[in-house]
Structures are given as C-alpha cells and as structure tokens.
Amino acid sequence: MLVNSAGDRLDLAAAQGNTQGQPSLWQEGVLDDILPASDALRRHQSLFFEHPGDLVQAYPDLEARTGGVAAVATAVLPMFLDEQPLGALILDFKEPHQFTPKEIRFLRTLAAQSATALGRTQLLADLQRQVKERTQHLQANVHASDAFIAFTEAIGTETDFLQLARQAMTLLRGRFPGISTAYYTPDGDLWKAQLWSEDMAPSLVQGITAGLPGSTPLIRQALETRTLVCIGAWNSAQQEIAHSESYGAGAAYPLLIDGDIQSLLLIGLKDAQKWTEPDQALVRAVGRSLNLALERAAQVERQARQSAELDARNRALENFAELTRDLSLETDPYILIQLAQTVALTLLPEGYALYFEPQGDRWVLRGQTGDLRSEGLQAAADRGLPYHEAKNLLIPYESRQPYYQDQYAKDTDNLDGLVAHLGASATLPVLVNGQVRGVFAVVLFGKVRYWSRPDQAVLESVVYSLGLAVERAITAAQLQTRTDEAERRVQALEAFAVLTAGLNVEQDPFSLILQAQEVVLGLLPSGRAGYWELEAGLWFQRVSAGGPLPSALQAFIDAGLPVGRTTSLDHAWRTGEPIYYDRYPTGQDVAPALEQPAQSTALLPVWEGDQIRGVMDFTTYTPYVWQAADRAMLTSVIQSLKLALERARGIQVLAERTAQLEQSHNDLSVANQELEAFGYSASHDLRTPVRHVKGFVTMALRALEQNDITKAVRHLGIVAEAADRMNAMIDALLALSQAGRAELNVRPVALSMLVHQAQQDVRLEFPQQLVEWQVEDLPTVVADPVLLQEVVTNLISNAVKYHHKEQLPRIRIWTEQGEQETALFVQDNGVGFDPHYADKLFGAFQRLHTQQEFIGTGIGLATVRRIVTRHGGRVWAEGRLGEGATFGFSLPR
C-alpha cells in the first residue's frame, strides 16, 4: 500500500497471492484512520501478529469495516524514505508464524530497500516529466519562430494598418481552424471592432461593432498587463460579452505603438476549453510580428509627415551601406555589435556605446566602443551590474521598447558618484528571432540633450539592423555546422564503402577493425587508435593503428588494464554510449607517472549483434574539440563496422555450414536435389537485399553530391532495411542448419507446456494483437523438447501473423491419436493459401506472399519440416484462399 501524492490516503498499489473474488482487509483509506498500515506509519514501527485473532484483537472493527477476513498471521512493514512515509508492505500467512529475530531484521531490511527503490522510481518519473515539459517548451519556441517567419514574409512591404491586421487574422485562422478573430481600435471609452472573421454570428458582430467598454474583463486585463491575456473555460456572462456563448476560450493581445496601446486583437476558440503553451507561443509570435509591422507602418506614416526625419534617414542609410557590407562578411555576433556601436556613435555627439546581456543575477558587458572617462565606472561595467538595480537596462529588456533619458539619472543604476559627467542616455533591446538577446546602450557626455525623433529613428534603425545581422550570423553558423556535419557524413559513407568492399575478401574481424581505425585516423589530426576487449577482468588492446607509444606506456598496456581502474573504458562498456573528452583527464586510466601523449579522446563501444564486443578509442596528440560533425562521422563508421562484423560472422558461419553439408553422406541423392532447389531460391532471395544495398547506396551518394540530405537519409534507411533483411535470412539459415545437425535429446514432453510457451512468445511478438484461443487437452509425446518447441512456436506464430486485418484471429489447437503416430493440428481463420502451392510451403525461401504483405524469411516452415523429419514424423498443410489454413505434423508414438 502506497501513500498518495497528497499524503492523506493509503492506496492499494499491488497484491499477490490473494484469493480472487474475496474481499481483502487491505483496502484504500484515509491515512489518519486507525488501521494497521496507518498505525505502523504513524508509530514508525513494524507490526507483527503471530497467532489467530491477534490482528482482530488489536483492531476489533477491521473485519466489519472492510468485509474481509483476517489472516492467521500478519506482518505490517512501514516504508520510509528520508523520514517521509511512502507506504507499507503487508504479508499474510495461512498458518500461525512466530517471527524470529533474523526474520524481523530481514523484513525491516526488505522494507527499507523497497522504500529506496520507490524513491528512485519517483525521481525517474520527475525527470521524465521535466524532459517532457522542456520538449514541449522547445516545440513551442519552434512553432513561434515558424509563425514569425511566415508572417514577416507576408507583411514585408505592407504599411496599411487594417491590411496588416487582416493578414495577421488570416494567418491565425490558417493555423487555428475554427477560431474567430477581431481587430479593435479605441473610440472614447469604447473599443470598436474594425475587422472580424466571417464565421462570427450576426448578433455578436452587432455588439462588437457598437463597441465594448474598456471595463470588459478581458479588455481591462489586457490594458493593465500590456501583454497577451488568455482565458480558458470561457463564460460569456462573466466576461460581459453578449452572444459569445459558443466559445470555449478567449484571448486578447494589445498592440503598442511608441509604448501606448493603439489597438487590440481578440481571439476566440470554439473547439477548446483552454490554451496550450504552443498555442500561446504562436499567438504571441504573431502578435509581436503584427506589433512590429504596425510600428513600422506608423513610422512610415510619420516619416511622410515629418520632413525633418528625411535628413537623418539619409545619414543613416549612408552608414548602413557601410555596415551592411561589413555585416555580410562577418559571422561573429559580438563583432557585429561593435560595428553597430561604431555606426551609432558616428551619427551622434561625443559619447560611448555599451552592450549588455543578462547572465544569472548580473548584466554582463559583452561589447564596448568608446572611453567611459571614469575608472570607477569602467570597473563597475567590467564587473557586471546587478540585474534588478540597473533600471536603464531592465526597463527596455522587459518592455521590449527603447528607453530614453534626456539627462542620465544618477540613481537609475545605483552608480551615484560615478556618472556626474554623463548627459543623455538611450538603451534599446536587441531582438534576435523575436526574443530579446541583450540591451544596446548609448551614453553622451556633457549637457542635457533632448532625443529628437530623428535621433531615435537612427538608433532604432541601427539596433533593428543589428538584430537582423545577428540573426543572419546565427543562421550562417548553423548552416556551416550542418554543412560540416554533412561533409563528415559523406566521409563516413566513403568509410562504409571501404568496409563493405573489404567484406568480399576479408572475414577476419580484427582486420575489419583495423580498416575502420585507419579510415577514421585519416579524417582526424595526428593521433592513434586502439581496440580493447575484456578478458579475465583485464582490458587488452587487440588492434591498434597510428604512431608508436612510449615504451613504458606500451608495456603497461600490453600487460592489460584492470577493470575498475580504467574509468573511460569501463563507462563506455557499461553504458553502451560513446564518451568524448575535449581534454583527456590525466591519470584517469593510466598512472600519471607514465608519459601520456593524449590530448583529446573519443571512446565508442563496438557492437556485434546485440552484444558489445569491445571498445574503440581514438586519441589526438594535439588539443581538439569534438564537433557534432565528428561525432556523426564516428557514429557512422562504428555502425558500418558493426554491419561488417555481423556480415563477416554470418559469411563465416554460412561457409562452415556449407562445408558440413558437403561432407554429409546421408541420403546423398535427396540432399543434392534439395541443395539445388535451395541454391536457386537462396541466390534469388539473398541477392535481392544485396541489389537494394548497391542501388540505394549509389542513389544516396548522388543525393549527397546534390546536397539533398533528406533524400540521402531516406535511401540509407532502405539500405539499413535491406541489411536487416539479409541478417534475418542468415539467422534463419543458421537455425535451419542447426535444426538439421543438432543432436537429438529425446525424452517425454507435454505438448500443453510447449503450446503455452508458444502462446507467450506470440504475445511478445505481436503485443497489440488480440487472439481468440481454443486449445484442447494435449497429450505427452517423446521428442527433443527444445527442437519441438521451435516447431510449435513457428506454426502458432504463422497462424497469428497471416490473419485477416479486419477479423479477430481464432486459433484452434488439437491432437489426434493413431495406432502408430500422434498428430497435432494448428487451425486459423486467416488469409489461407492456394492448395495448388501446398507442396511449396515447406521449402526454403518458398513464400506465397510478398514482404509488403507479410514480413518473413521463407525458412520457418522448412525448419519445421527438417525437425519433424529428424524425429521420424511428417508435415502437411491444408487451406483455401481467404478461408484460413490448417497445418499439422505427426510424431511416432
């Protein structure tokens, strides 16, 4: 029983061994009730009841309250973690039981360990929840960025207020099917709708065009907060908007020009009762974009009326030409900021420019142009200004609007005594991709200077251009990163081609590993590669490439590194994940006294099948930072090596099996015929995935030459699928070969046990598939239980696999006893087969369905026939297309 999240109840979390259908004493209840589990938690003490009636005597009304019957003996073990109650473990006994001191110690230890495990489970759940919330937040930012880009493109040249609002409404309706939008402007104390979506009811339109008072709750809240307001569970009466009953949620976004709210955008959702975080982010992005567009339109309108601003604009344009030429060549954001500071200062009287970004509880100086003329002021700026005390920076950062002071206020940033020589100041937010990145500050020396509109226009234009330039720089850096990663992936694909070509002549795994090491070393700075395997508690280096090591270090490595003292190798082996050190920690794996040339190191587990075979390390002798492109390249090479090792192993095993078949003298003529038919089928079925690999690798390389990453990834996915199919065929061939030569271990075996295990295997193979089972009583037969289990599982798995998609599979299993043999039948209601092809079903690679219809290797039934034949039995099949099938086999009695 576990304490619930509120901490006021005990809930029954799990039970085992109780009689079904009978009431239990241990039921959910309030934690404060006088019950055994609650009592044990409250007293912080285990309770033991050893004789009949002890529990009822201690809690007389327990049976009456629960309807259950007390056990003969009971143990109640409270669980605590960090002194917090988690719940209780309860053990009921059917006979009297005297708990020995040893048993009591064991049970208390069990309760403590269970509490620790529960705590760990809760911690994992909290971590998963945090990851999910972070993912949702990132997705919201992505959607917001997409909306900003789309709307920016739509309104790039528009300056008419109503047309801008109409485009914003169109964008929102395109992103939110079934919403209503309206654009309002003030008229005295009323807010009147100027535009509205066509889906609004006439009665609602009549009300909103007549005007809504500023005291309307949604409007009032938007005016007060000056930001997006979202209301869930919409109540038209409470919100005082008549005829709005059909909406489930509403929102208002205030649009500001020069810091004043000039209009409102109201939105109603009909199909939702609340706003999700991604939806809010999208509305906020569109609102911000519309706000920026309206501000730009207002600026254009004012510029048309104010000829005085034209001269300032001309001066700005001359400098912007210089700035644009420099910005197009520069990708470092902080160099761009210094260029913008230089441009701004050339347009203003003498002063200086600073750029700050928030970091923790301080404003950190990231860029400076000009002398502050005060050592104390410079020292304060270099140290960083307290976040909440630097109002000159905090105001524009939070409001997203420029903040101008005609005379710098001495107490604004708590710098009294250091700023007496300063005059006017301007601080402006730098927006990058719709988010405030930092604050651009310009401070002038000397007497008071009134910031004219031309001055403000110049500064705002410079900062706006700076934001766009930083956006371009970030985008260029991201594109360069993706280009580098793509190049590394191309190199990895070339490495894949090298390893694949080596398969035709090379089957030694260590030779393949050496090829992989040499390929990677050719793509990295000077260094060395090693491959390690674990043996008898020591790490031994089996293969290495690159320059020689110091003799003492080489001798140390040759002796083997002990497990538990080689942190890097141990961690890569234990976790199965790569490890990258930009700076290799000295002494971590090797004694510090030994000369160690390593500067940076990457360690990657090498897989063969589902098991880790060993660990590969790549070391550079010069400092090196592992980029995303490097990691992508190394991952691709290791994956290619995995495929090469698996295929080499498969080819080696297949060659061994072929040699064994060639040496077999039993029933030679029949074997030759079967081998000929098998060879024809195998050559066709095994060549098909090989052709896929060859063709789609060529297409992927062509796509990469055209820089079409998406198409290349799709082609390589098909290559991986073909490789998986080839592996599946090889595994099936191995199983078929094993079935033909494994030594029989014949003994009595219950068919019911084999069928039950096969049903469990099928549930794991098809976890989402419901099946109606009809299994009759089954006898015991004499056979090899391991091999016969494979026969039964194959037949039952096929019966479920080849079912009608629109019908529930019905599987009937029964036996018939003859004088000489026992026959088992598996009947289904699936797709069936054409009886003309019944003789082909039990041949290797003989399939009556395509891979697109039903996935398979075509070897399962051949394995069934070989196992049954070795037992002296026979196999058969009956069926009709669309009417199901019956498969059977017999064994000698």
Side-chain angles (χ1 to χ4, degrees), residues 504-526:
N504 296 324
V505 296
E506 187 58 69
Q507 298 179 19
D508 177 32
F510 293 141
S511 295
L512 291 171
I513 291 170
L514 179 60
Q515 289 182 40
Q517 290 176 337
E518 292 173 344
V519 167
V520 173
L521 289 178
L523 304 175
L524 295 175
S526 174

Side-chain angles (χ1 to χ4, degrees), residues 1 10 25-27 30-49 54-56 58-63 65-66 70 74-78 87-90 92:
M1 306 191 73
L10 269 173
L25 289 176
W26 314 110
Q27 300 177 10
V30 179
L31 187 59
D32 291 337
D33 282 353
I34 306 301
L35 297 172
S38 302
D39 214 10
L41 288 170
R42 189 164 40 250
R43 294 159 61 181
H44 212 303
Q45 177 180 344
S46 300
L47 305 180
F48 299 95
F49 306 94
D54 286 357
L55 180 60
V56 174
Y59 302 93
D61 60 343
L62 182 59
E63 292 184 335
R65 289 181 60 178
T66 63
T74 299
V76 182
L77 313 171
L89 291 174
I90 300 159
D92 282 340

Side-chain angles (χ1 to χ4, degrees), residues 551 607 848:
S551 57
W607 295 78
L848 303 184

